[in-house]
Amino acid sequence: MPARRSTDKGPAHARGSAQKSFFRRIERTLDTIQHSDDILGTVRNVAEYMTANFQDELGIVGGRIYHLNEDEYVLVHSFGTAQNAPIGTVVSRHYVAIDAVLESGLVVMDRNAPELDPELETQLGTREGFAVIAVADGDYVISFDVPPGRGSLEDLRASLNIVRLAINQKLRTERFESIMQDARRIQGS
């Protein structure tokens, strides 16, 4: 009797398939998110939409958006459960969480990590766990609140990397469309 091959490809294959499916759903979703006239508007629209509509998959409940202004990041918007974050709060470009995210594009941290400033984290309203992504070539940083016990760290990182890539893709698409509109306008004049 010939040996049968197993068609079960294991948990790693299943996780990879789930991530591909999740990325495709996010790509389709991005097409429905309202176009904005500025980068902050696009980042805000995508972050709010992802938090509201993919909360279970992503494990995020709210967050804050920071914009680079010279050598510091300024809190410019909050969403979800972080609605009361103090807009205008400044965080040094050299703060450990910012340095880490600019280095790797994504960082997941515990609010009580010894290298963090507890007073600053309290002022910002950071929850126990948070994940930070850098988008638009580091001009914007998004910090997401992550409730404790929300799945594996590996899944959270993979999901937020998908979100980071999706936001950057949306920004590139909008930039390309803007360039094409300018070209058409110039040709028409």
Side-chain angles (χ1 to χ4, degrees):
M1 185 157 148
R4 285 183 35 175
R5 271 179 141 181
S6 171
T7 58
D8 181 17
K9 300 191 182 183
H13 181 274
R15 186 174 28 254
S17 294
Q19 288 173 348
K20 283 181 190 175
S21 172
F22 180 56
F23 186 71
R24 283 189 208 106
R25 284 182 34 228
I26 287 178
E27 278 186 314
R28 285 189 302 268
T29 299
L30 287 176
D31 292 336
T32 67
I33 295 174
Q34 184 178 4
H35 175 77
S36 181
D37 292 334
D38 64 348
I39 294 173
L40 173 59
T42 298
V43 171
R44 182 191 64 237
N45 290 347
V46 173
E48 287 178 350
Y49 192 90
M50 293 298 180
T51 300
N53 294 286
F54 290 95
Q55 191 173 78
D56 292 337
E57 291 95 333
L58 296 173
I60 56 177
V61 294
R64 294 153 212 74
I65 300 172
Y66 302 85
H67 182 249
L68 181 62
N69 183 10
E70 295 182 21
D71 205 31
E72 55 193 21
Y73 281 86
V74 179
L75 178 59
V76 293
H77 184 73
S78 61
F79 54 92
T81 58
Q83 294 272 336
N84 296 325
I87 302 301
T89 302
V90 174
V91 179
S92 169
R93 152 66 184 85
H94 303 289
Y95 186 55
V96 68
I98 301 287
D99 271 345
V101 75
L102 293 176
E103 173 93 12
S104 65
L106 166 73
V107 66
V108 179
M109 297 188 86
D110 184 286
R111 177 188 166 140
N112 298 318
E115 61 268 20
L116 296 179
D117 177 347
E119 287 180 33
L120 177 61
E121 297 303 327
T122 298
Q123 180 183 0
L124 294 170
T126 308
R127 293 187 143 196
E128 286 180 51
F130 62 95
V132 186
I133 61 173
V135 297
D137 298 322
D139 284 344
Y140 290 87
V141 170
I142 308 170
S143 173
F144 294 100
D145 291 333
V146 182
R150 291 289 299 202
S152 79
L153 195 57
E154 180 183 325
D155 288 345
L156 175 63
R157 283 191 175 116
S159 296
L160 287 177
N161 250 333
I162 290 170
V163 170
R164 183 173 63 89
L165 293 170
I167 290 173
N168 284 324
Q169 178 180 329
K170 178 82 170 168
L171 292 171
R172 278 191 299 275
T173 299
E174 287 184 1
R175 178 72 183 128
F176 178 75
E177 289 170 358
S178 174
I179 290 169
M180 292 304 292
Q181 286 176 350
D182 289 347
R184 281 188 215 100
R185 192 174 56 249
I186 291 169
Q187 281 182 336
S189 58

